[in-house]
Amino acid sequence: MFAELNSILNTSPDSFKQGEFILVSDRHTDASFLIHHFLSFYLRAGCKVCFLGLVQSFSHYSAISQRLGVSLTQAREKGQLVFLEGLKESLGVLLQREASKGTRAVDFLRDPSSGLHGLYDFVRDNVRGAVGGGGGEEWGSPVLLVDDLSVVLSLGVSVGAALDFSHYCRATVCSELQGSMVMLVRCEAEEEESDDDGSERLLRGLTHQCSLTLQVQGLPTGYCRDIHGQVEVCWRGQCDRQQTQKKLFQYKVHDKGASFFARGTSSAVL
């Protein structure tokens, strides 16, 4: 969890806005450090977290969370964390194993044209359970994290199906249950290049659904040892009377955290 980012967003594990959809995107850099931040943030806040890890293994997230002072293994054992390991579930599908509850969530691998209904059913069933396992602990509002949604496009799922999945998740998690959502989308093309690029269309569609965006990019001046990139934070108005607010920060990722600088205040890059 990054204290400086909490200060920028005016939030903390003890006091945070519910019903929020946070969209994280990256272009020519890696924004996964923000996924690790929000994972540790919501676990510290006592929320029930459903994490769709579509691109990395549980051990990967666990090792990084350990450095941030959070044990994913303990959270999963207590029932606070539900983790879908997309790589492992996908292997079961590719090896033609008999479908289990987990592999039904990735049924889109068998038939991409069927959409993400199985994945939504997995999310819905897990976020509605607010009571933890063995100890019978009760958790706070549910949270859905997705890393990353754009990967389903490369597996044959349409942009429309991915947007439908996000829409129904938002209706269930944010509106019905007053929980929160964080999704990561990766874009490879240049912003002005191709309107036909699937990830670009997905990003635009999700931007209309979300309440907060964090757009991570490399530095326009190129590589810098002391600054790793920049992030534009955009608070989107939820009605006509509210205006969108934007702020630009530069950042540097450390082994156990990240530092953020208002653009122009770092001695490394202007």
Side-chain angles (χ1 to χ4, degrees):
M1 185 177 70
F2 309 146
E4 291 182 15
L5 182 57
N6 288 343
S7 179
I8 290 171
L9 300 180
N10 191 27
T11 190
S12 74
D14 299 321
S15 177
F16 60 92
K17 184 179 178 181
Q18 294 182 318
E20 189 159 56
F21 176 10
I22 301 173
L23 177 61
V24 178
S25 64
D26 63 30
R27 192 184 302 274
H28 303 311
T29 190
D30 185 5
S32 59
F33 69 97
L34 292 177
I35 291 294
H36 299 297
H37 161 76
F38 286 113
L39 176 59
S40 62
F41 177 94
Y42 286 115
L43 288 175
R44 287 179 183 272
C47 298
K48 175 68 177 286
V49 177
C50 179
F51 188 7
L52 307 183
L54 303 180
V55 294
Q56 296 286 355
S57 66
F58 178 82
S59 59
H60 168 83
Y61 298 106
S62 181
I64 296 177
S65 294
Q66 199 73 41
R67 295 203 297 267
L68 298 178
V70 174
S71 172
L72 297 192
T73 300
Q74 291 181 5
R76 187 163 67 170
E77 289 174 350
K78 291 188 298 183
Q80 183 184 11
L81 172 67
V82 176
F83 185 85
L84 176 70
E85 191 162 357
L87 295 177
K88 181 183 293 185
E89 300 295 351
S90 299
L91 182 61
V93 172
L94 296 175
L95 294 178
Q96 301 297 313
R97 292 176 181 168
E98 184 176 351
S100 64
K101 181 179 179 181
T103 55
R104 281 199 296 271
V106 292
D107 270 350
F108 60 87
L109 290 175
R110 297 185 177 92
D111 181 13
S113 64
S114 65
L116 300 175
H117 301 292
L119 193 59
Y120 168 71
D121 290 343
F122 176 88
V123 171
R124 180 198 59 204
D125 294 345
N126 281 285
V127 297
R128 283 180 174 164
V131 179
E137 300 180 62
E138 291 191 7
W139 309 113
S141 55
V143 174
L144 170 64
L145 281 88
V146 184
D147 181 17
D148 71 85
L149 187 60
S150 55
V151 74
V152 302
L153 303 183
S154 63
L155 299 172
V157 176
S158 69
V159 172
L163 290 173
D164 286 345
F165 168 75
S166 173
H167 170 77
Y168 286 114
C169 285
R170 178 171 172 253
T172 300
V173 178
C174 300
S175 299
E176 177 187 340
L177 302 175
Q178 284 299 292
S180 303
M181 279 174 40
V182 182
M183 287 188 176
L184 172 64
V185 172
R186 290 197 156 91
C187 297
E188 299 298 332
E190 294 293 343
E191 194 167 1
E192 64 278 0
E193 275 185 2
S194 176
D195 289 337
D196 295 329
D197 183 74
S199 59
E200 292 291 342
R201 289 187 286 126
L202 176 61
L203 177 60
R204 287 197 297 269
L206 292 175
T207 299
H208 289 296
Q209 296 182 15
C210 73
S211 53
L212 173 66
T213 64
L214 291 94
Q215 299 178 335
V216 181
Q217 295 183 327
L219 292 171
T221 53
Y223 172 78
C224 176
R225 183 182 63 182
D226 297 315
I227 299 295
H228 293 155
Q230 61 186 28
V231 53
E232 183 182 77
V233 183
C234 179
W235 293 266
R236 299 182 57 81
Q238 295 302 294
C239 66
D240 293 339
R241 295 181 179 179
Q242 293 178 314
Q243 295 183 347
T244 297
Q245 299 180 358
K246 295 182 180 181
K247 290 185 178 181
L248 187 64
F249 299 88
Q250 294 167 344
Y251 69 90
K252 180 178 182 180
V253 179
H254 310 287
D255 186 50
K256 295 184 178 180
S259 298
F260 294 83
F261 315 94
R263 188 176 182 182
T265 61
S266 167
S267 60
V269 178
L270 296 180

